[in-house]
Amino acid sequence: ASSYWSPYQATCKALRDEVRQAPGCSLREAIARIEHHYASPASARGALAKWIEAGKIPGIEARRDGRALRLYLAETAVPA
């Protein structure tokens, strides 16, 4: 892994930490409670929903609950 730390990686870590505290929270709830690097909560939701569903954010998995995207720690959770 690279030693470079990006704003995206910081957002992913904050999201993992939030999901660890509140498993099953919606993406909307999680975004409202974390600091992220996106311009707005709406852009954060759109981008992160795409990356989570594509499996590109290690340690987080999502399940649809109607329109809501519920977040859980993945079974192969990455360390804090």
Side-chain angles (χ1 to χ4, degrees):
S2 170
S3 62
Y4 176 74
W5 188 249
S6 69
Y8 171 77
Q9 288 170 313
T11 296
C12 292
K13 182 184 183 322
L15 190 59
R16 269 193 304 277
D17 291 346
E18 180 59 34
V19 172
R20 192 173 284 117
Q21 297 293 317
C25 64
S26 71
L27 180 58
R28 178 180 292 269
E29 293 163 344
I31 295 299
R33 292 194 292 251
I34 67 169
E35 274 194 45
H36 54 78
H37 71 285
Y38 292 95
S40 69
S43 62
R45 285 193 305 273
L48 291 172
K50 181 179 84 170
W51 294 123
I52 292 166
E53 290 186 308
K56 300 289 186 191
I57 300 184
I60 296 180
E61 60 185 38
R63 299 180 200 138
R64 282 273 170 207
D65 179 15
R67 288 199 50 194
L69 200 58
R70 299 269 168 207
L71 306 180
Y72 300 89
L73 288 180
E75 297 303 318
T76 56
V78 293

